[in-house]
Amino acid sequence: MRVIEASLISEKVKEMCIEANYALPKDIYALLKKGISQEEMPLSKGTLEVIKRNADIAKSKKRPICQDTGMACIFIELGQDVHIEGNLTDAINEGVRQGYVEGYLRKSVVADPLFERKNTNDNTPALIHYEIVPGDKLKIIVAPKGFGSENMCQLKMLKPSDGVEGVKQFVLDTVEQAGPNPCPPIVIGVGIGGNFENVALLSKKAMLKDANEHHEDPRYSALEKELLESINALGIGPAGYGGATTALSLHIETLPTHIAGLPCAVSICCHVARHKEMVL
Ligand code: SF4
């Protein structure tokens, strides 16, 4: 049994919260540059250049890329041969607390969602998803997510008879209805299958996949490509000013489902597609 100190996890989560908010992942940055080279409309090209310059300044000056530094969404893969010395959930929240305070990141969490809506003032609690996996490692993914784009995500319990066409229509409708609100160019994750509660999580995992990865099943990877092209043909463009760069990437994740259902969820993230990953 391998032992990992809870204090080490707090330290790493703190660093990852800060780094994720200051620097874009390499794959997203590369896609932004590609968008600039391909975009033909001057206003849209200029908008992408401003977005890239903003990201460059944030990284070099160690400032948040956007004022909305998000809710801290954390994915944990815990090896079954690991023992955490201390409380894992508390350690993660402590890391988020320190990261958002020390990194001067906006605190955006309210404790009661409906009546009081009082800020917790340290961006906790984090949203933590746990998965037990084989081995003696601990994988941590920190993905702070702003709500301009989170509010544009959608889930639909499609019928099996809706089929591929139903999925395509739902994805396109979701992006079209979102329009400029999620600060395009966007990154999209599509979850298909499972049930109501886990198809949303599936779509979020899809959204976090590396831009260069594609679904291993060629039918789904072809669908990823087709959907991305259809979305970019909508003409929403960077910041909604029009153009060909509405989405930078689109990934699909799938799960087995019930004979009577076809759950589908669409997670949308803005160009500030923050995430950091670490294995302890
Ligand atoms: S959607 Fe993204 S870019 Fe727009 S305000 Fe929110 S975090 Fe910032």
Side-chain angles (χ1 to χ4, degrees), residues 126-146:
L127 293 164
I128 311 172
H129 304 287
Y130 292 104
E131 200 177 327
I132 305 294
V133 297
D136 65 353
K137 303 269 191 293
L138 172 67
K139 183 167 165 185
I140 307 170
I141 298 174
V142 172
K145 178 88 160 55

Side-chain angles (χ1 to χ4, degrees), residues 21 54 65-70 106 144-150 152 180-186 268-274:
N21 270 292
N54 175 68
I65 304 162
C66 180
Q67 44 76 36
D68 183 353
T69 52
R106 195 181 85 184
K145 178 88 160 55
F147 263 49
S149 59
E150 188 72 0
M152 297 297 114
N181 295 334
C183 300
I186 54 177
I268 294 180
C269 189
C270 57
H271 59 273
V272 192
R274 295 158 277 213

Side-chain angles (χ1 to χ4, degrees), residues 177-190:
Q177 284 163 24
N181 295 334
C183 300
I186 54 177
V187 172
I188 301 163
V190 180

Side-chain angles (χ1 to χ4, degrees), residues 16 40 106 125 157 162 197 210 221 233 277:
M16 291 163 84
E40 288 177 359
R106 195 181 85 184
M157 300 303 284
D162 290 325
E197 81 267 13
D210 187 281
S221 59
E277 185 176 317

Side-chain angles (χ1 to χ4, degrees), residues 145 149-157 169-179 188-191 196 199-201 203-204 263-268:
K145 178 88 160 55
S149 59
E150 188 72 0
N151 285 337
M152 297 297 114
C153 302
Q154 289 199 38
L155 189 158
K156 193 166 187 183
M157 300 303 284
Q169 197 58 52
F170 176 55
V171 175
L172 284 177
D173 287 350
T174 301
V175 174
E176 197 159 24
Q177 284 163 24
I188 301 163
V190 180
F196 178 78
V199 73
L201 188 55
S203 70
K204 196 147 278 184
C264 184
V266 181
S267 276
I268 294 180

